[in-house]
Amino acid sequence: MSEDDDPIAAFGSIEEGDEPLKPYMDIALFDTLDKQAQIDLLTPVFDQITLAGVDFDLKAQDSATGKRYVLLKNEEVVEVFVMDDKLTDNVLEAIDNHKDDD
């Protein structure tokens, strides 16, 4: 993704900027994963969720050790993730593994 790409095309608007991502940001990790790194990890996740359809959703929950990301399919928990440099890969793999589950 280049700077010219709209990092929130699938789930926000130009007027909102990065606002839709704020609830998903884990500020406790800014020393290791700064804001831009987290945006870069989260953007492909939301793009894939948009492509996968309304079955999937990602919720962020605060915990004592940072945020937890809960991937849901049809309101049922698929998997729980933490923010790390493999978040995108882990969520995309879980989506791919559960696309055809019904």
Side-chain angles (χ1 to χ4, degrees), residues 6-8 11 13-25 35-36 39 43:
D6 180 8
I8 56 161
F11 51 92
S13 68
I14 292 171
E15 295 81 24
E16 292 173 318
D18 294 332
E19 288 299 311
L21 288 178
K22 283 193 177 187
Y24 296 91
M25 297 287 178
K35 180 179 177 181
Q36 188 58 51
I39 289 170
T43 298

Side-chain angles (χ1 to χ4, degrees), residues 3-66:
E3 289 181 21
D4 296 329
D5 291 337
D6 180 8
I8 56 161
F11 51 92
S13 68
I14 292 171
E15 295 81 24
E16 292 173 318
D18 294 332
E19 288 299 311
L21 288 178
K22 283 193 177 187
Y24 296 91
M25 297 287 178
D26 193 343
I27 59 172
L29 297 178
F30 276 2
D31 287 342
T32 55
L33 289 170
D34 66 13
K35 180 179 177 181
Q36 188 58 51
Q38 291 187 33
I39 289 170
D40 292 344
L41 288 168
L42 289 165
T43 298
V45 169
F46 283 100
D47 289 344
Q48 186 62 37
I49 286 172
T50 300
L51 292 173
V54 295
D55 295 345
F56 289 95
D57 192 13
L58 187 71
K59 303 284 186 195
Q61 299 175 337
D62 290 317
S63 75
T65 58

